[in-house]
Amino acid sequence: MAKLLECALNFSEGQREEVIQAIVAAAQGVRVLDVSSDKDHNRTVVTFVGSLQAAAAAAVQVTAKAVELIDMNAHHGAHPRMGAVDVIPFVPLGQATMEEAVAAARRVGQQLGEDLGIPVYLYEEAATRPERRNLADVRKGEYEGLAQKLADPAWAPDFGPVHPHPTAGATAVGARIYLLAYNVNLGTPDVEVAKAIARAVRAKTGGLQYVKALGVMLHERNQAQVTMNVVDPFRTPLYRVLELVRLEAARYGVPVVGTEIIGLVPLTLLVEAARYYLQLEGFRDDQVLETRLWEA
Amino acid sequence: MAKLLECALNFSEGQREEVIQAIVAAAQGVRVLDVSSDKDHNRTVVTFVGSLQAAAAAAVQVTAKAVELIDMNAHHGAHPRMGAVDVIPFVPLGQATMEEAVAAARRVGQQLGEDLGIPVYLYEEAATRPERRNLADVRKGEYEGLAQKLADPAWAPDFGPVHPHPTAGATAVGARIYLLAYNVNLGTPDVEVAKAIARAVRAKTGGLQYVKALGVMLHERNQAQVTMNVVDPFRTPLYRVLELVRLEAARYGVPVVGTEIIGLVPLTLLVEAARYYLQLEGFRDDQVLETRLWEA
C-alpha cells in the first residue's frame, strides 16, 4: 500500500453552505472523503487523503481560502476555537510513518506562518515541547485570548508572527494516530448535565483513559451534547465510551437520544462495537466480506 | 467489478482436522475465504469466491474429495444433513446475476449426478418446482430417510440416480442471495429451551420474517444453541434477531452467553448492527475508512 496521509482539517464555519463549499473546493490533488459541518459548533471537519506531498499542499490551499472567507472577529460557536482554520492534524495511513506525518505538519506550519502570516503551534507528535502536545492547552484562551497568549514568551509560536492574524487567529498543526470524534446527544436541554457527564467520562477528571470530553449546547436541537475525542480508540473502544456516558446520564434521568461519528472510522472500530453488543465469539475482522474482495 | 460467485459449501465433517483440510484443499482456481467447522454439528462450511466457471468447477472438485473421504453411514451430528456434501449454494457477487448463479448451480448439479452418481435436488432460486425451494423440505428425512424419499415419484431428483449414493447420500445445489448463518449460544444445557426459542423466533411458527431456526445441543460445551439462517438479512437485521432470542430466552431465566457469525458477512450488516446499538444518527456505510481507500 502507498504512503498516504489523512488530514482532518477543522475550520470555523459550519453555517454558511457556500462558504463551506468554497473552502472545501480549494483542496486540489487529494481525495476529499468527508465533510461534516455542525451549525451549533459553527465548525466543519473536512477529511481528505493523499500522498505526503499532496496532502500537505491541499492543507495549505484550504487554509488560504478559509483565511480569505472567515472573519474570526464575527465568529460564535459552541466548540472551542482559536482560528479560521483551527486545527490541521495529519494521520499516517498505509506505509506512511509517523515521522513522515510530523514532517508534513512542520512543512505546512512553516508555510502558514511565512506565507499567510498565521501564528502556528505544532501539537501532538509534532509538538516542539511537552506542554504543547495537548490541543486543549494550545487552544486555551481561544481566539479572544490570542493576543495575550502570543505575547507570553512561554507561548511563542513555532512559526509565524507573535501577534494574531487580524481575522484568522492562529492554527494548530500536528500529527497523530487516528482519533475518533464521537458525540452523544442527550434527551435534555440542560447543558450543565452534559458538562457533568463530560467531567465524569474524560480521562483527566477520573473517567476513561484516552477520552477528552466537553459538554456543549445544541441550540438547533434544543439538546445538550457530550462531544468527545477518543485519542486512542484502538485501546478505549467506542462501546465502552457510550455505555459510560449512558450510565452517567442515568443519574440525572437523562437518556441518550442519538450519537454521531464524525468523519471516517476504521472498520475495526465498528467491528469491535459489534463484537461487544452482539456478544460475538471468535469473530475476525476479515470475516467482513469486502475485506476479502479488496485484497490484492 | 467482475462477475463473481461466492459458494458456501457445507460438508458433513467437523471433527477430523485432516479430513477437513483435504476436502478444502481440493478447491482449485478460487480464493478460499473462510473455513468454519463445528464439532457438535459435525459439519464444515467452506466459503470460496471465483469466476462463474471457477466457482462451479471448485464445487465439483470439493464434492468429489468429500465423497471419497466421508461415509455418511457413520455420520452423527447435531445439524440436519442428507449428504457428505449436504448443500452447495451459489451467491452472485459484483456484476454476476442471479440467472448466472442459477446456471452454475444447474451445471454443478448435472456433474454431481452424472459423474459422481449423487442424487441432486436443485433448491432456492434454482428449484425446478415450488415445493423444492426450501432447503429444510428438501432435506427432510435426512440421510437415513433418503432411500424412501428418492423412491417417491414426487421427490425424484433433478439429477442423478433414484437411489442414494451408498456412502455420500444426496446433495442440494442452488442459488440465492447472501444468507446470514447466525448461532446464539445459551447459558443452559437444556436443548428443549433452545427448541422453544427457535419455535418462537422462526418465521414459519410466528417469529421474525426471513428467519429459519433450530434448537440444537452443543455437547462439547454442554450448552444449547439456537442455530439460524436469516435468508434476507438486509430486511431482517442481525440485532433484531439477537434481541428477540434474548427476550424469548429471558422467559426461562436463560442468558445469551455468546453468538457466532458463520463465514463471511457483508459490511453493511455489521454497520446496521452498530447503528442500532450505538444509536448512530446519519451514519453512512461509506464513513468506514476502508471503503474509501479501496474504491477505484
Side-chain angles (χ1 to χ4, degrees):
Chain A
M1 219 198 277
K3 287 174 180 282
L4 297 175
L5 288 183
E6 184 195 36
C7 182
L9 189 152
N10 285 235
F11 61 86
S12 296
E13 178 58 62
Q15 298 169 357
R16 295 175 294 169
E17 232 1 270
E18 69 285 0
V19 173
I20 295 166
Q21 283 176 25
I23 292 170
V24 169
Q28 302 296 313
V30 292
R31 189 180 300 166
V32 173
L33 302 185
D34 189 85
V35 180
S36 294
S37 299
D38 187 301
K39 290 179 156 55
D40 289 292
H41 292 196
N42 198 7
R43 185 183 182 88
T44 295
V45 183
V46 51
T47 307
F48 52 86
V49 168
S51 67
L52 307 179
Q53 296 297 337
V60 176
Q61 290 153 1
V62 170
T63 302
K65 184 53 87 174
V67 167
E68 181 192 326
L69 297 180
I70 296 171
D71 178 0
M72 289 307 290
N73 297 302
H75 184 274
H76 304 279
H79 197 286
R81 77 286 180 271
M82 65 179 178
V85 168
D86 195 50
V87 57
I88 306 177
F90 290 97
V91 179
L93 296 181
Q95 305 280 50
T97 63
M98 184 55 75
E99 288 67 36
E100 286 165 329
V102 169
R106 291 204 180 111
R107 279 202 311 278
V108 169
Q110 183 171 14
Q111 286 178 70
L112 262 47
E114 295 180 1
D115 302 344
L116 299 183
I118 295 172
V120 168
Y121 293 107
L122 297 172
Y123 80 108
E124 281 297 340
E125 299 297 326
T128 54
R129 13 186 145 175
E131 56 271 25
R132 296 187 179 194
R133 280 191 72 91
N134 190 302
L135 179 62
D137 297 335
V138 166
R139 196 162 48 197
K140 198 169 186 166
E142 294 193 42
Y143 177 71
E144 290 71 19
L146 264 179
Q148 186 176 351
K149 187 176 193 114
L150 287 160
D152 175 355
W155 283 101
D158 292 301
F159 295 104
V162 294
H163 56 80
H165 184 286
T167 55
T171 299
V173 188
R176 54 165 175 72
I177 63 165
Y178 172 81
L179 166 158
L180 173 66
Y182 187 52
N183 299 331
V184 177
N185 301 323
L186 305 169
T188 176
D190 186 349
V191 72
E192 295 305 317
V193 169
K195 288 179 174 177
I197 295 168
R199 198 155 43 241
V201 305
R202 80 163 71 90
K204 229 184 228 191
T205 46
L208 286 169
Q209 183 75 277
Y210 304 121
V211 172
K212 302 180 178 184
L214 294 171
V216 298
M217 187 60 194
L218 304 180
H219 295 285
E220 241 202 13
R221 298 170 56 133
N222 199 31
Q223 285 175 337
Q225 177 189 83
V226 182
T227 178
M228 292 171 283
N229 282 344
V230 186
V231 300
D232 192 345
F234 306 98
R235 287 210 161 96
T236 302
L238 241 177
Y239 74 81
R240 195 171 299 156
V241 174
L242 171 58
E243 295 308 321
L244 186 61
V245 168
R246 194 192 305 284
L247 183 146
E248 295 290 343
R251 172 184 183 164
Y252 304 96
V254 166
V256 168
V257 299
T259 76
E260 301 162 352
I261 290 175
I262 305 303
L264 304 178
V265 58
L267 174 70
T268 195
L269 298 189
L270 291 184
V271 171
E272 187 58 17
R275 275 197 194 90
Y276 172 77
Y277 290 109
L278 296 173
Q279 297 175 250
L280 290 173
E281 296 178 3
F283 185 82
R284 306 184 318 269
D285 280 20
D286 74 1
Q287 278 179 257
V288 175
L289 173 67
E290 285 82 349
T291 66
R292 311 312 295 280
L293 295 183
W294 285 318
E295 2 180 86
Chain B
M1 216 196 282
K3 286 174 181 281
L4 297 175
L5 287 185
E6 184 196 38
C7 182
L9 190 152
N10 284 235
F11 62 86
S12 296
E13 177 59 62
Q15 299 170 358
R16 293 174 295 169
E17 235 356 274
E18 69 286 1
V19 173
I20 295 167
Q21 284 177 23
I23 293 171
V24 169
Q28 302 296 313
V30 291
R31 189 181 299 167
V32 173
L33 303 187
D34 189 83
V35 181
S36 294
S37 299
D38 187 302
K39 290 180 156 53
D40 289 292
H41 292 196
N42 198 5
R43 185 182 183 87
T44 295
V45 183
V46 52
T47 307
F48 52 86
V49 168
S51 66
L52 307 180
Q53 296 298 335
V60 176
Q61 292 155 4
V62 170
T63 301
K65 184 53 88 174
V67 168
E68 182 192 325
L69 297 181
I70 295 171
D71 179 359
M72 290 307 291
N73 297 302
H75 184 273
H76 304 280
H79 197 288
R81 77 286 180 272
M82 65 178 180
V85 169
D86 195 52
V87 57
I88 305 176
F90 289 98
V91 178
L93 296 182
Q95 305 281 51
T97 63
M98 184 56 76
E99 287 67 35
E100 285 165 331
V102 168
R106 290 204 179 113
R107 280 202 311 281
V108 169
Q110 184 171 13
Q111 286 179 68
L112 262 47
E114 295 180 2
D115 302 345
L116 299 184
I118 295 171
V120 168
Y121 292 108
L122 297 172
Y123 80 109
E124 281 297 340
E125 298 298 327
T128 53
R129 14 187 146 173
E131 57 271 25
R132 296 188 180 193
R133 282 191 71 90
N134 190 302
L135 179 61
D137 298 333
V138 166
R139 197 163 47 198
K140 199 171 188 167
E142 295 195 40
Y143 177 72
E144 290 71 18
L146 265 179
Q148 184 176 352
K149 188 178 192 112
L150 287 160
D152 175 355
W155 283 99
D158 292 301
F159 296 104
V162 294
H163 55 79
H165 183 284
T167 55
T171 299
V173 189
R176 53 164 176 72
I177 64 164
Y178 172 81
L179 166 159
L180 173 65
Y182 188 51
N183 299 331
V184 177
N185 300 323
L186 305 170
T188 176
D190 186 349
V191 73
E192 295 306 316
V193 169
K195 288 179 176 179
I197 295 168
R199 198 156 42 242
V201 305
R202 81 164 71 93
K204 228 186 228 189
T205 45
L208 285 169
Q209 182 75 276
Y210 304 120
V211 172
K212 302 180 178 184
L214 293 171
V216 300
M217 187 60 196
L218 304 181
H219 294 284
E220 242 203 7
R221 298 171 56 135
N222 199 32
Q223 285 174 337
Q225 178 188 83
V226 182
T227 178
M228 293 172 283
N229 283 345
V230 186
V231 299
D232 193 345
F234 307 98
R235 286 211 162 96
T236 302
L238 241 178
Y239 74 82
R240 195 171 300 158
V241 173
L242 172 58
E243 294 308 321
L244 185 61
V245 168
R246 193 194 305 284
L247 183 146
E248 295 290 343
R251 172 184 183 164
Y252 303 96
V254 166
V256 169
V257 299
T259 77
E260 300 162 352
I261 290 176
I262 305 303
L264 304 177
V265 58
L267 173 70
T268 195
L269 298 190
L270 291 185
V271 171
E272 187 58 18
R275 272 196 197 92
Y276 172 77
Y277 290 109
L278 296 174
Q279 297 176 250
L280 290 173
E281 296 179 1
F283 186 82
R284 306 183 318 270
D285 281 21
D286 74 1
Q287 277 179 256
V288 176
L289 173 67
E290 285 83 348
T291 65
R292 311 311 295 281
L293 294 184
W294 284 318
E295 19 182 68

